[in-house]
Amino acid sequence: MFGKIFSKKASTQAVKSLGETLSTNEIEPFIKDTLSHYISENFPEGILAVCQQFTISQHKTITVNLVMPFICQGELDLVAQTLSENLACTVSIKVELAIKPVRQFSLGKAQEGSGQGYLPQGKVANIIAIASGKGGVGKSTTTVNLAYALMSEGAKVGILDADVYGPSIPTMLGLKNEKPSSSDGKLMTPLNANGLSAMSIGFLVDEADATVWRGPMASTAFNQLLNETDWPELDYLLIDMPPGTGDIQLTLAQKVPVAAAVIVTTPQDIALIDAVKAIAMFDKVKVPVLGIVENMSYHLCENCGHQSHIFGEAGGEYMAHDHETKLLGQLPLDIAIRQDADLGESDIIENSAGEIAKHYRKIARNISAQLFLQCDIASPLTAKVVTKA
C-alpha cells in the first residue's frame, strides 16, 4: 500500500521495512521517512518540507504531531490509516495550524484619509475572493460550503457577502431577518453561523426592498461592510463576489489586500466564456487566481450511480489547462446541496464524513494548500536566489 503514496524516488529503506517488525527506535525514522516521501498535489516536496514542527509520542498507540501552514487534516488522516496498516498498530496524525498571511497588510489608520480601506492589523490573515463570470453557477452556495469545509478542517473562517444587489448569504446561513449588533457604536459585530463569522448587506436591508444603487454607491457599501465590521481573528475571510467584472470587483482588487481569487464555473460553454473574463480581470489587477472550481459537473443517479454530464464534460479542466491554473475540484449536481442552501443548513456541519462534505473538504484543502504553495514566500516552490562569493 505504501507504494501508492510514495514518490518514485521513495527511499529503499522505507520500502524494505514494509511488513517487518520495527523496534521502538526504528519507528520514528520510518514515519519521518514516510512523511518525507509522501507526494501529492498539495505536498509536491513531501509533508515534512512544509511542516513547521514534528514530534512523535509512543504509548500503546502512536501519535504524530505536526504544525502545518495550511489545512490538511483530511488528507493526513488517510496517510495515518496507511501507516496504521503497515505498522500493525494505531497511528494518528494531529495537525495544529499556524496559518500566516501570504500577503502582508500595509493598510492602517494612516491611510484613512486616502480613500483606501483598512482592516485591523493581524486580525484577518488571508482574504480570498470567490468569483464567477456570470450568475447562476452556484457561486454563493459554493462559498458557504467551502467556508464550512475550511472550518471542519480546523481553520478560523469568516464570510463577507459582497453581492449588494442580490445578497443570498443570510438565507444560506439560516440567518434571515437577523441584524448585527455593535458593542462600541462604531463597528458592527458579525453574526455567527455555527462558528462562522458572517456579514452581509442582507442583514441591514429588508429582503423585500430593492437595492437601487449606482456603481460608486455599491462600492462604498462594500467598503463599509468590510472595514466597519469587528472581525475576530480569522485565518481566511471568504468574499462572495457579485458576478461580473464591475465596480465592486475593481474596488476589491484596488483597495483590499486580497491574497488570491478562486473562480467558480459550470462545464457549460457560456459559463466558461464569462469565467475566462473573470480570470483576465484578476490578472490585470495582479491578484493571483488559485484555480477553478467546477460546479454541477455531473448528476449522479440515485438508483444506478450513473454520472450524467448535463452541462457538458471537463470544461473546467480544459479551462484550467488553457490558462495555466489548477482545477481545484468538481462538485456534483445534487438536490441535497440545493435543499440545504434553501433551508440555511449544510451537510458539512450535519455529516462531515458524508460524500458531499468530502467533496467540499477536499476542495477547501486544495485552496488552502495552493494559497500557501503559490503565494507564500515560505513555499518550497518559491524560487531561491543563491549568491556566490
Side-chain angles (χ1 to χ4, degrees), residues 201-266:
I201 193 68
F203 297 145
L204 307 175
V205 178
D206 191 282
E207 67 176 352
D209 292 339
T211 308
V212 186
W213 289 341
R214 293 187 183 277
M217 295 173 64
S219 298
T220 300
F222 165 72
N223 259 330
Q224 289 181 318
L225 287 173
L226 176 65
N227 300 317
E228 296 180 15
T229 296
D230 187 17
W231 299 105
E233 289 191 2
L234 300 175
D235 296 317
Y236 303 104
L237 176 62
L238 302 189
I239 299 186
D240 180 32
M241 301 295 295
T245 54
D247 289 318
I248 291 182
Q249 288 86 347
L250 293 174
T251 297
L252 176 78
Q254 294 170 350
K255 296 186 177 183
V256 178
V258 179
V262 172
I263 308 299
V264 179
T265 185
T266 64

Side-chain angles (χ1 to χ4, degrees), residues 139-206:
K139 170 182 53 59
S140 296
T141 303
T142 301
T143 303
V144 168
N145 284 315
L146 286 178
Y148 281 135
L150 287 164
M151 281 180 51
S152 69
E153 292 273 337
K156 293 173 289 188
V157 188
I159 187 169
L160 174 63
D161 187 357
D163 193 348
V164 297
Y165 296 111
S168 56
I169 295 299
T171 299
M172 294 182 180
L173 294 180
L175 296 174
K176 285 179 65 175
N177 303 318
E178 297 288 335
K179 303 295 181 185
S181 60
S182 177
S183 59
D184 59 4
K186 297 178 181 178
L187 297 177
M188 295 179 289
T189 302
L191 273 67
N192 183 290
N194 300 301
L196 178 69
S197 298
M199 182 52 66
S200 169
I201 193 68
F203 297 145
L204 307 175
V205 178
D206 191 282

Side-chain angles (χ1 to χ4, degrees), residues 130-137 139 241-246 249 262-266 270-279 282 319:
I130 311 295
S132 66
K134 68 184 296 295
V137 298
K139 170 182 53 59
M241 301 295 295
T245 54
Q249 288 86 347
V262 172
I263 308 299
V264 179
T265 185
T266 64
I270 193 66
L272 294 169
I273 291 171
D274 288 337
V276 168
K277 296 176 183 177
I279 293 178
F282 284 116
M319 177 181 170

Side-chain angles (χ1 to χ4, degrees), residues 266-339:
T266 64
Q268 190 176 8
D269 287 345
I270 193 66
L272 294 169
I273 291 171
D274 288 337
V276 168
K277 296 176 183 177
I279 293 178
M281 183 204 71
F282 284 116
D283 285 343
K284 287 183 179 179
V285 295
K286 309 301 181 185
V287 173
V289 174
L290 298 179
I292 311 295
V293 175
E294 186 183 88
N295 196 26
M296 309 181 201
S297 293
Y298 57 88
H299 175 260
L300 189 65
C301 178
E302 298 178 359
N303 297 319
C304 67
H306 175 71
Q307 290 186 6
S308 299
H309 298 274
I310 298 173
F311 295 107
E313 186 175 359
E317 184 178 350
Y318 295 141
M319 177 181 170
H321 179 267
D322 291 344
H323 294 274
E324 297 182 343
T325 188
K326 293 186 176 293
L327 179 65
L328 298 169
Q330 296 170 305
L331 294 165
L333 180 63
D334 193 304
I335 190 172
I337 297 175
R338 194 274 301 167
Q339 289 173 335

Side-chain angles (χ1 to χ4, degrees), residues 10-216:
S11 71
T12 55
Q13 176 187 353
V15 177
K16 183 179 179 180
S17 298
L18 295 180
E20 297 179 3
T21 302
L22 301 179
S23 68
T24 302
N25 293 334
E26 293 174 317
I27 288 177
E28 182 169 340
F30 175 78
I31 291 177
K32 290 183 71 173
D33 196 58
T34 300
L35 298 182
S36 296
H37 293 92
Y38 173 86
I39 302 298
S40 71
E41 191 78 12
N42 294 338
F43 296 105
E45 301 292 332
I47 295 171
L48 295 189
V50 296
C51 177
Q52 299 176 8
Q53 187 175 328
F54 169 89
T55 59
I56 289 181
S57 59
Q58 299 183 47
H59 300 290
K60 291 183 178 179
T61 62
I62 300 171
T63 301
V64 182
N65 301 290
L66 304 177
V67 177
M68 303 296 287
F70 53 83
I71 65 170
C72 52
Q73 185 67 67
E75 182 171 356
L76 296 190
D77 284 344
L78 299 177
V79 177
Q81 181 180 343
T82 304
L83 280 169
S84 298
E85 294 172 357
N86 284 270
L87 292 176
C89 69
T90 301
V91 178
S92 62
I93 298 179
K94 294 185 178 180
V95 175
E96 179 183 340
L97 296 176
I99 297 172
K100 299 177 181 178
V102 300
R103 177 175 176 181
Q104 294 299 318
F105 283 78
S106 60
L107 305 177
K109 288 186 177 293
Q111 292 185 331
E112 282 186 279
S114 67
Q116 298 289 316
Y118 70 96
L119 285 168
Q121 180 72 26
K123 277 204 167 185
V124 179
N126 297 290
I127 299 176
I128 302 175
I130 311 295
S132 66
K134 68 184 296 295
V137 298
K139 170 182 53 59
S140 296
T141 303
T142 301
T143 303
V144 168
N145 284 315
L146 286 178
Y148 281 135
L150 287 164
M151 281 180 51
S152 69
E153 292 273 337
K156 293 173 289 188
V157 188
I159 187 169
L160 174 63
D161 187 357
D163 193 348
V164 297
Y165 296 111
S168 56
I169 295 299
T171 299
M172 294 182 180
L173 294 180
L175 296 174
K176 285 179 65 175
N177 303 318
E178 297 288 335
K179 303 295 181 185
S181 60
S182 177
S183 59
D184 59 4
K186 297 178 181 178
L187 297 177
M188 295 179 289
T189 302
L191 273 67
N192 183 290
N194 300 301
L196 178 69
S197 298
M199 182 52 66
S200 169
I201 193 68
F203 297 145
L204 307 175
V205 178
D206 191 282
E207 67 176 352
D209 292 339
T211 308
V212 186
W213 289 341
R214 293 187 183 277

